[in-house]
Amino acid sequence: LCSLENAKFINCTFINVNMSTLNLEYSEFNNVKFKECILPFHSIFSAFGLIKQLKNSENTFIYSTSNSNKKIYISDYMNLIPQFEKYYIYKKKYLQLCNISLYKNDKDRIINFVLEGLLYYIQERDFRNLKHLCNYISTNNIFTIKQRRVFYDKIVNWIATENFTIAEYHSYQLTCGELRDYLINDNTINPIVNFYIKTNIEPYDI
C-alpha cells in the first residue's frame, strides 16, 4: 500500500483513477470530484472530508473482493455503515466514528466521540491520533470557537492529571503546539514557517 497521510487535495477532479491500493488515512479532501474512479475499501472513513465528497462522484465505485468484478456501488458501501460502526467502537477508532456520525448528521454523537477520543488517546499516550483528532475538529466547520476552546482546555486539564515519564512528556511537547494551532489559533489555512534552533539543551534537562 502507498500512504497519502497528510496529503491535501483541494479543488481537484480525479478522472479514471484507480485508488484501490492507496491508504487514504489522514489525507484531506476539499471540493473534490471523482469520475469513473475506484476508491479503497478500508480508509474511506479515515480521511478528512472524503465522506462528504462522495456525493460529488460520477460512475465511481469502492474496491471490494466480495464481488467478481472487485467493486461495489457507493450506496452499497454506505449500507455497511452499521457493521463499520460496531467495528470502530470495538477498536476505539474515534476519527472514523466521528466521520460516520458526520455522515449521519448526528452532531451530539460527534461531540461525544471527540471527548472520548481525546481522553483515550491521552491515556494511551497516542499523541499521533490525538493530533489527527484535533485536526478533524479544525477541518470540519461544525464546531464553534468556544467549543474548540473547551476541547483544548480539557486536553490541558487531562494532561495535567497524567503521570508521564520524561520520554512521554517530551513526545507530548512535540505535539502540543500543533494541537493549539488546530483548536485555538486556527492557523490551518495560513502559511507556516518552522524554525529549528540547535542548542546544547537535552530533553532530560527540562
Side-chain angles (χ1 to χ4, degrees):
L1 287 176
C2 175
S3 176
L4 296 180
E5 181 174 341
N6 296 322
K8 292 187 178 183
F9 301 96
I10 303 173
N11 301 325
C12 297
T13 299
F14 292 91
I15 302 175
N16 195 23
V17 178
N18 187 343
M19 307 172 73
S20 61
T21 60
L22 296 180
N23 180 6
L24 303 181
E25 280 190 332
Y26 312 122
S27 53
E28 182 179 339
F29 294 82
N30 188 358
N31 193 28
V32 172
K33 297 180 181 180
F34 298 96
K35 294 182 180 180
E36 300 181 359
C37 296
I38 301 177
L39 300 175
F41 187 89
H42 290 288
S43 55
I44 296 293
F45 296 109
S46 304
F48 302 112
L50 179 57
I51 194 68
K52 295 188 295 184
Q53 306 301 315
L54 291 183
K55 64 182 179 180
N56 298 324
S57 62
E58 180 181 323
N59 197 28
T60 291
F61 300 88
I62 307 295
Y63 177 80
S64 174
T65 58
S66 62
N67 286 356
S68 58
N69 60 1
K70 305 297 184 182
K71 58 186 180 181
I72 59 175
Y73 290 103
I74 291 176
S75 58
D76 292 332
Y77 182 81
M78 293 307 171
N79 289 335
L80 298 174
I81 282 181
Q83 287 82 0
F84 277 116
E85 192 167 24
K86 290 178 182 178
Y87 174 78
Y88 290 140
I89 288 175
Y90 176 73
K91 290 292 188 178
K92 298 185 183 297
K93 300 288 188 178
Y94 290 100
L95 171 62
Q96 292 84 342
L97 290 168
C98 287
N99 271 328
I100 289 175
S101 300
L102 181 63
Y103 178 78
K104 293 180 175 181
N105 198 29
D106 191 340
K107 187 175 180 180
D108 289 338
R109 290 201 80 194
I110 295 174
I111 293 174
N112 289 337
F113 283 133
V114 164
L115 291 172
E116 287 181 28
L118 295 176
L119 178 58
Y120 176 75
Y121 292 138
I122 289 172
Q123 292 174 336
E124 292 297 310
R125 279 53 169 166
D126 188 349
F127 302 121
R128 175 174 176 263
N129 276 311
L130 179 67
K131 179 185 71 174
H132 287 310
L133 190 55
C134 290
N135 188 10
Y136 174 88
I137 297 169
S138 176
T139 55
N140 285 281
N141 297 322
I142 59 176
F143 300 106
T144 65
I145 294 175
K146 182 178 179 180
Q147 285 175 314
R148 294 202 301 268
R149 180 76 206 198
V150 169
F151 292 144
Y152 180 76
D153 288 343
K154 284 186 175 296
I155 289 174
V156 172
N157 292 335
W158 286 331
I159 288 289
T161 64
E162 293 292 318
N163 293 317
F164 289 129
T165 65
I166 293 177
E168 289 169 346
Y169 189 72
H170 177 63
S171 296
Y172 168 70
Q173 287 291 315
L174 295 175
T175 308
C176 65
E178 290 180 271
L179 305 184
R180 184 176 180 85
D181 283 342
Y182 286 138
L183 300 179
I184 303 298
N185 297 336
D186 196 22
N187 285 336
T188 55
I189 61 174
N190 295 329
I192 298 175
V193 176
N194 294 316
F195 292 94
Y196 296 91
I197 302 175
K198 185 176 182 180
T199 73
N200 60 354
I201 302 175
E202 299 294 332
Y204 300 102
D205 295 334
I206 299 176

